[in-house]
Amino acid sequence: MTSQETVIWLQERTALGILSPEPLSAIAQILEEKVFPANHNITTEDSPPEALYILLEGQLESNSSNKNNPSLTVGFLPGSVIHLQEILLDELPQRTITTITECRFWVAYANQFREVSNQYPEIAQVVSRMLAQELAQLASAFSYEQERSLALRPYLVTKAQRGIVGTSRYAVRLREQIREAASDRKSVLIFGEPGLEKDNIAALIHFGSKQRREPIIKINCGILQTSGAELFGRAGGKPGLLEWLGEGTLVLNNIQEIPPELLPQVKKLLQDHTYIPVTRSGDSPSEPRISRARILIVAEKAQPQIERCVGRIIKVPPLRVRKADINAQVEYYISLYTRARGIAKPHITPEALRRLQSYDFPGNIKELQNLVERAIVQAGETKELTEEIFWAAETKKKRFRVNLLNTYPGLRKFLRSSWWPDHINYGFTTAAFAFIIAVLFVGPQTRDRNFALNLFWAWWWPVFLFLFPFLGRIWCAVCPFMIYGEITQKLSTWLFPRQLKSWPREKAEKWGGWFLFGMFTLIFLWEELWHLENTAYLSACLLLLITAGAMIFSAIFERRFWCRYLCPIGGMNGLYAKLSMTELRAQQGICSATCTTYQCYKGGPQKGEGMETDGCPLYSHPAQLEDNRDCVLCMTCLKACPHRSVEFNLRPPGIELWTTHIPRSYEVALLFLLLGGVYLHRLPELQSWLGIQLDLTQFLPHLGLSLLALIIPVAIPFLGYALIKVYCWLNNYICSVNAVKIPNRIKPRGFVELAYGYLPLVLGGNLAHYLRLGLGEGGRVLPVFFATFGLNGEQLPVVVAHPAVIAFLQGTTLIFSVFLSILLTQKIARQPLRVLLWQHLAAIGLGASMWRIIVSS
């Protein structure tokens, strides 16, 4: 190319065309043609430029470390003049320029070009014009970005909240699906149950892709106009979000709520990436426009119409199938919450974790996060998150409940007063119990002459066995054992100031039930072998031993550790309380939405109508109770609650046993021990019925027969369950031989679960036994009272039932108990009668044997 041709080319194709012919000729004379291969750096950022480059042909690209200035990262066209500004103004390049293909340049070395520019000052005008053009471009780009930012800001997703927590196969698979979706630009349908943070998964896909620097917006489809103007814009008017978004990501949240009129347009957008702006009625349709945005769709259910249009589908698994991840998720949310507030990280106990893992979480991940955060607030300064703190949303509808506190306001007033139970306990029970113990030791030693012995065996046992189906563990609220335990606790901390030990929950949950089972076994044998029913001082020793246990453990541990885990009477009361027709609970909606102090659980000062208390003595929260086992009806929570959340409900008797109940093996062991106790109490009648002639005045024969009486009746439920297993096995075998469908196969319930069906029979058998004492001797308490102090009370009134009446009531109790056991077994198992027939026959057999030794004797 001649010099004149070069000048003409420079005038027509480059920014130097504004110069006069003389400086252009001077520049043309110093230009040399050079060819550079692909991937060659013409210049490097922050390195002095070696020459002026004019691109003749080829492709270039530039990159800069300054990500805040998008104008530094651009492409180049033939005729582009490179480094003119840097050479004339003596600046360093702000970008690295690389050849994409083989490129041909005109090159003028920097020192030569400076000499020419010194001769022709008008060359500097080119730089001024270039700076003005760049400034105008930047102003235009800034104005565009401002408009774009204002349009997208209400919908903008700034970051992904969190990754996928957990190591289960579901979590691993979900992470793989997210990585695969981030590797390309295909549209994705993400669906799953509420609370799974599906929109966060969409954010993870976007921020894991190469377009992570592009914006991502989320739109709730339920608020879209039927015209779709927000998305598609208006022809000749305001641009839509798709136009502003560019190559960003659009998340359509809750696609199931999208107006039906928009669904065809969304499908077209997914299929061919085009859309049509909205036009006014009567106007001709606008031309289709191409969208470069990526579409991610979030739904709560599979969308058949959408599935055929998207490139990928991700089904998010619910939390109930990812129980292995709950531990990691809980630890993650604990760390997240404590770091954000700068507080110490508490430790979650194994029992609390098991409690969470046994719950199905209908609200999924969001519900779990709320539970963890609420538990940390409730725990306060304690270092452990125990199972009582984690109370989940109600899993069973609260049907057939009547809140007696609303029906009878006077009852609420009494239970919130100082009379219940403090004035009763410290104004009467403490003194009465001490007096009774003294009478048992120094008074006459037989039941017909010692009113305290008569009161214990002929009044206490039948009355409270009768009350269990009505008021649960009501006895524990006024129990003298724990009253003296609380007195010991207060005195010991006053005399020896110290911090009482926290409960060893893990060990207590594991071994406490078996401890009280062993204690009750010893009590039964002691009662039978040493005739405690008719020996006053030994009965006093029994009461004092239980009281001593309460006092010792109250001096060591905080609150009522003995009552919750170790007391044999409390264990029996908790078991029978499951059958109660009343319950103390709280309204979970109020507790979760309103309460922040958790005074019913932790205790605290007066707040509103909530009184100052020390918190639940058994460390239970009324909103998380699943059965009556751990509620002693002390009403501390009712007094402490400022929100009127606590309820004292009338309910179907024992409903927890087939709804929220968690079976425990040590409770079943205690249940069968109490069953054996019915036969132990009737040892002479049992011996007569079986024709056994043993001298019960001899210790070893008496002990051997007592142990057999406790053990042998338990064999009947085991035999009944074994026959159920055999029946199910035969049924399944026949189904497999005849190729019968799976629904006809039967899987029996676990023995521990079904064993609770015998609970009404056990309670009824014990009550039937003590009716003899209650109705036959309880009415003699007045003459016995006088006889205790050596006075003649033979003329005082006596109220006793006829033996025929007692037998009738005993028989009625047993029949009713057998019927309730059959009914309860059916409710627990939810299986056909034919499957459970053998357990029903076992209950009938046990009832008949009790009739023989209790009623017919």
Side-chain angles (χ1 to χ4, degrees), residues 243-255:
E243 185 174 339
W244 287 120
L245 195 56
E247 294 186 354
T249 300
L250 171 65
V251 179
L252 294 175
N253 197 27
N254 295 322
I255 193 69

Side-chain angles (χ1 to χ4, degrees), residues 38 134 181 411 448 498 542 688 765:
E134 285 185 12
L411 179 62
D448 59 344
R498 67 194 186 282
L542 171 61
S688 174

Side-chain angles (χ1 to χ4, degrees), residues 67-242:
K67 303 302 181 183
N68 295 324
N69 189 353
S71 66
L72 297 175
T73 306
V74 296
F76 298 88
L77 296 174
S80 297
V81 181
I82 302 170
H83 292 162
L84 176 62
Q85 178 179 325
E86 286 82 352
I87 293 173
L88 293 181
L89 300 180
D90 199 19
E91 294 178 348
L92 296 177
Q94 299 182 44
R95 53 196 169 195
T96 298
I97 301 175
T98 306
T99 60
I100 299 176
T101 62
E102 184 180 81
C103 297
R104 191 160 58 91
F105 293 91
W106 274 334
V107 179
Y109 291 101
N111 54 352
Q112 294 177 335
F113 187 76
R114 287 191 185 97
E115 291 177 1
V116 173
S117 63
N118 289 334
Q119 295 176 8
Y120 302 97
E122 64 178 288
I123 295 177
Q125 295 177 5
V126 178
V127 177
S128 300
R129 176 171 291 190
M130 291 177 64
L131 291 175
Q133 289 175 347
E134 285 185 12
L135 184 60
Q137 291 172 356
L138 286 174
S140 176
F142 180 72
S143 176
Y144 175 82
E145 288 298 329
Q146 271 192 319
E147 290 186 50
R148 186 189 191 200
S149 176
L150 287 173
L152 298 180
R153 184 179 300 166
Y155 313 97
L156 206 60
V157 178
T158 56
K159 63 178 180 179
Q161 296 299 316
R162 58 186 60 87
I164 305 301
V165 180
T167 57
S168 71
R169 60 188 179 92
Y170 296 100
V172 172
R173 175 58 182 155
L174 189 55
R175 278 193 286 267
E176 290 176 356
Q177 289 177 310
I178 292 172
R179 280 194 295 269
E180 291 171 1
S183 65
D184 55 40
R185 296 280 291 171
K186 293 179 180 178
S187 54
V188 184
L189 170 62
I190 307 166
F191 73 93
E193 296 177 3
L196 288 172
E197 298 183 337
K198 299 178 288 295
D199 51 351
N200 183 64
I201 292 176
L204 288 171
I205 292 173
H206 170 81
F207 289 108
S209 68
K210 293 180 180 179
Q211 284 72 32
R212 65 178 65 90
R213 300 192 184 281
E214 296 292 332
I216 173 176
I217 62 173
K218 180 176 69 174
I219 299 176
N220 190 341
C221 294
I223 63 171
L224 285 174
Q225 300 176 19
T226 56
S227 66
E230 305 103 309
L231 275 179
F232 309 120
R234 297 187 180 274
K238 185 178 179 181
L241 292 173
L242 283 171

Side-chain angles (χ1 to χ4, degrees), residues 270-395:
L270 292 169
Q271 288 172 334
D272 54 23
H273 304 287
T274 62
Y275 65 95
I276 300 175
V278 178
T279 56
R280 298 180 186 275
S281 59
D283 293 350
S284 58
S286 178
E287 290 294 323
R289 297 183 184 178
I290 296 176
S291 171
R292 295 173 296 156
R294 184 182 193 180
I295 312 299
L296 303 179
I297 295 175
V298 173
E300 291 185 357
K301 296 180 181 179
Q303 303 293 318
Q305 292 181 318
I306 298 295
E307 287 179 6
R308 294 188 290 269
C309 306
V310 296
R312 294 183 185 275
I313 297 175
I314 296 178
K315 181 180 179 181
V316 186
L319 189 56
R320 64 177 175 272
V321 304
R322 295 175 54 193
K323 296 295 180 70
D325 292 334
I326 286 181
N327 188 10
Q329 288 174 327
V330 169
E331 293 293 340
Y332 172 76
Y333 290 129
I334 291 174
S335 300
L336 203 67
Y337 187 87
T338 53
R339 280 202 307 267
R341 287 156 181 78
I343 59 178
K345 181 180 178 181
H347 166 70
I348 182 169
T349 63
E351 295 80 22
L353 184 60
R354 285 194 293 269
R355 181 181 184 84
L356 291 175
Q357 290 172 336
S358 66
Y359 180 55
D360 281 343
F361 288 98
N364 288 296
I365 294 173
K366 288 186 178 180
E367 184 179 4
L368 175 60
Q369 182 179 3
N370 291 337
L371 279 178
V372 171
E373 292 178 357
R374 187 165 61 225
I376 297 173
V377 173
Q378 182 173 332
E381 297 180 357
T382 57
K383 297 180 180 179
E384 279 193 341
L385 301 180
T386 61
E387 64 173 319
E388 291 79 13
I389 298 176
F390 286 96
W391 45 278
E394 189 177 7
T395 57

Side-chain angles (χ1 to χ4, degrees), residues 581-592:
M581 63 175 62
T582 56
E583 65 180 10
L584 188 74
R585 298 292 187 269
Q587 301 177 53
Q588 295 186 344
I590 294 177
C591 293
S592 60

Side-chain angles (χ1 to χ4, degrees), residues 726-740 744-746:
V726 170
Y727 172 81
C728 293
W729 181 86
L730 288 173
N731 177 85
N732 296 340
Y733 176 76
I734 294 171
C735 288
S736 62
V737 170
N738 297 328
V740 179
N744 290 321
R745 298 174 184 267
I746 301 172

